[in-house]
Amino acid sequence: MYCLSVVAGQNIKPADSAVDAGAAQPRRFLVFAIVSLALMMASIDQTIVATALPTLQRDLHTQVNWSTWTITIYALGQILVMPLAGKVGDQFGRKRIFLGAVVLFTASSLACGLAGNIYLLIALRFVQAVGGGAFMPSATGIVAQMFGPDRDRALGLFSSIFPIGGIIGPVLGGLFVTYWTWRGIFLVNVPVGVTLLILGLIFIPASVRRRDVHLDIRGVLLLGATLLPAMLGIAYLGTAQTGTGTVTHTSPISPFFLIPEVLAVVSLVAFVRHSARSADPFISIRFLTGSGFGIMNLLNFLFGSAALGFAALVPLYAEERYGLRSLEAGTLLTARAVGMIAVAGMAVYLLRRTGYRWPMVAGFSLTAVGLVGLAIAPHGLSVYVWLAIAAGICGVGMGVCTPAANNATLQLAPDQAAAVAGLRGMFRQSGAITAVSVTAAVVARSGHPGLAQARVFEVFAAILILSLPLIPLVPEHRGNW
């Protein structure tokens, strides 16, 4: 039984049937461009906000730990929705989920641009993240359907999409903050989202809808109950309290920290038990701890904390430690993106020959070198050039290892590419959210925020180096899948 979609006056088969036949679909490159635009829009919103953090603090009269929650809550929303989006896409059709995500992301972006205080902005960023988090799983499923035997290379090219957003985001953010207002970083999504919705309605083919998929609401709630209290407790540690002319910081033995962390641990245990016992869990226990998945989940968490977490912090670091302007600080992320794009395409092309382990070793090592370069004082060069070179080295490292790390999990269950992509994104974003939240707490409690962030970058580098002995445990694969 086929779902029919009218595209340019023609009836075509649903993309899901193409996977079963192992054949590539017509208009696959056009569809790839459309879903890539959505991924780039979501990527822009990760880097563009980082550029505006100091301005957000001043305009909305808030502290650094709450302004960074505009990034933290975005990651949290993505963590919750990424694994869910794959299952919901199977039930209602991936095209519907993709277009629904576009509508939600665009509407919430408009609302973010009109927010009048930090608390409303944080809440709206969560809604925006739900839309943005659904892009990757649904896009992965759509592209896997459309490209057939070449899906490994097509999905590997997603590694080049996010760096493009990394180039555009900081530049736009710096321009908006310098010449207009931070609100422009959200309002710019509106015309892009409307264009994307129109193109998606016309050109993305419908997919088969499965009626037998069970939505594990309990699993979703347990995961949320694990992550949200943990991050709230960490944010509380960075809260400064004023009184009698002095500033004091909250204590790690305070019940406002301990109680949320205990609740998070209890919820985590309940979540794992539920995943192991449920007939159709939100996240299968096989995908959590099964052969190959367990080690990649750990590596994705560590990679997310060191590589993705640092991206949100670099502009703030450059402004706090060296006094660079917003536009200059934001373009440091552009240097990282240029480094990624310079090597990601070649890494994707060579992946069928190199396998996954060697690119991951090389990429982790190069990223660690770049992080150390960011942390130490410039030698013989201007501050901006030194930081740009260090950020570029980080980008090269990420460009080398990201395609391998992406496909290392996808090839384990190619028939469930959307669900696996959502799980991978969940662990990476969990690492990033932890890194940003802990760093915000450390910086808020430090008398020298710039130097404190430098030490954090050194810790990130150490995490990557200590991860290298785990890479030989990654399931190796050469060729397509």
Side-chain angles (χ1 to χ4, degrees):
M1 175 176 161
Y2 295 119
C3 293
L4 299 180
S5 177
V6 179
V7 179
Q10 298 182 21
N11 290 334
I12 66 171
K13 295 179 182 179
D16 288 295
S17 63
V19 173
D20 297 332
Q25 287 286 292
R27 299 182 178 86
R28 57 189 178 277
F29 296 107
L30 177 59
V31 171
F32 182 89
I34 293 170
V35 300
S36 295
L37 179 60
L39 295 179
M40 186 169 65
M41 185 167 66
S43 172
I44 287 173
D45 249 65
Q46 288 181 329
T47 56
I48 199 172
V49 175
T51 307
L53 285 183
T55 305
L56 273 175
Q57 289 175 234
R58 291 191 297 269
D59 284 5
L60 298 181
H61 309 292
T62 187
Q63 295 175 321
V64 63
N65 58 303
W66 284 113
S67 67
T68 55
W69 259 85
T70 58
I71 297 173
T72 301
I73 202 69
Y74 188 82
L76 177 60
Q78 289 185 320
I79 289 168
L80 294 177
V81 79
M82 276 182 173
L84 185 62
K87 281 198 171 186
V88 176
D90 286 337
Q91 185 173 18
F92 296 102
R94 294 187 182 109
K95 175 178 179 176
R96 292 189 175 202
I97 298 304
F98 179 81
L99 295 179
V102 172
V103 172
L104 186 61
F105 188 89
T106 304
S108 56
S109 294
L110 176 62
C112 284
L114 302 176
N117 62 72
I118 190 65
Y119 307 108
L120 178 59
L121 179 59
I122 290 172
L124 291 171
R125 279 284 282 174
F126 179 83
V127 178
Q128 187 188 39
V130 173
F135 284 145
M136 176 58 82
S138 56
T140 298
I142 290 168
V143 170
Q145 294 162 3
M146 297 295 290
F147 277 80
D150 287 327
R151 61 181 179 264
D152 60 321
R153 285 181 170 169
L155 293 175
L157 285 175
F158 278 170
S159 304
S160 300
I161 302 303
F162 285 94
I164 295 175
I167 290 176
I168 298 173
V171 174
L172 280 179
L175 289 173
F176 285 139
V177 169
T178 302
Y179 299 107
W180 187 29
T181 171
W182 60 266
R183 299 181 186 277
I185 68 179
F186 300 111
L187 298 178
V188 71
N189 292 327
V190 177
V192 178
V194 172
T195 302
L196 192 59
L197 179 63
I198 295 171
L199 293 174
L201 282 168
I202 296 173
F203 294 111
I204 297 178
S207 59
V208 171
R209 297 168 60 184
R210 291 174 50 194
R211 299 293 185 181
D212 59 340
V213 178
H214 168 69
L215 296 183
D216 180 19
I217 301 301
R218 183 182 177 188
V220 175
L221 293 176
L222 285 173
L223 182 60
T226 298
L227 296 170
L228 186 57
M231 295 304 105
L232 283 173
I234 293 171
Y236 171 78
L237 283 183
T239 303
Q241 298 176 337
T242 59
T244 64
T246 61
V247 178
T248 59
H249 292 284
T250 51
S251 169
I253 61 173
S254 167
F256 292 101
F257 171 73
L258 293 178
I259 291 175
E261 301 308 309
V262 170
L263 289 175
V265 171
V266 172
S267 298
L268 176 61
V269 173
F271 173 73
V272 174
R273 291 182 62 184
H274 172 76
S275 297
R277 297 178 179 181
S278 175
D280 190 11
F282 172 47
I283 299 176
S284 170
I285 194 68
R286 172 203 169 199
F287 287 171
L288 289 173
T289 61
S291 177
F293 284 102
I295 190 65
M296 280 307 306
N297 290 338
L298 176 58
L299 284 170
N300 278 322
F301 179 86
L302 296 173
F303 180 74
S305 65
L308 301 184
F310 109 91
L313 300 168
V314 168
L316 183 63
Y317 169 67
E319 294 180 48
E320 291 280 358
R321 185 176 183 186
Y322 295 109
L324 295 185
R325 294 177 299 175
S326 296
L327 185 57
E328 289 180 310
T331 56
L332 293 176
L333 295 183
T334 302
R336 181 198 65 150
V338 169
M340 290 185 69
I341 293 173
V343 298
M346 183 60 68
V348 169
Y349 179 78
L350 295 175
L351 201 55
R352 292 180 180 178
R353 298 182 180 180
T354 62
Y356 303 138
R357 294 175 182 172
W358 281 112
M360 290 178 66
V361 169
F364 277 41
S365 301
L366 280 171
T367 305
V369 170
L371 288 168
V372 172
L374 286 170
I376 62 179
H379 295 281
L381 297 171
S382 70
V383 168
Y384 179 81
V385 172
W386 179 273
L387 294 179
I389 291 174
I393 294 172
C394 288
V396 171
M398 294 174 67
V400 169
C401 67
T402 301
N406 285 353
N407 283 11
T409 48
L410 289 174
Q411 62 91 20
L412 295 173
D415 58 326
Q416 301 182 60
V420 173
L423 185 69
R424 180 193 69 215
M426 185 192 77
F427 277 100
R428 286 185 184 171
Q429 291 292 354
S430 295
I433 194 175
T434 302
V436 172
S437 297
V438 171
T439 301
V442 170
V443 170
R445 296 168 64 88
S446 172
H448 302 282
L451 291 176
Q453 277 194 260
R455 302 292 82 79
V456 168
F457 290 148
E458 292 173 352
V459 172
F460 288 168
I463 288 173
L464 290 176
I465 296 301
L466 293 175
S467 300
L468 295 180
L470 300 176
I471 293 177
L473 302 177
V474 173
E476 187 63 286
H477 179 83
R478 289 180 172 84
N480 64 353
W481 46 268

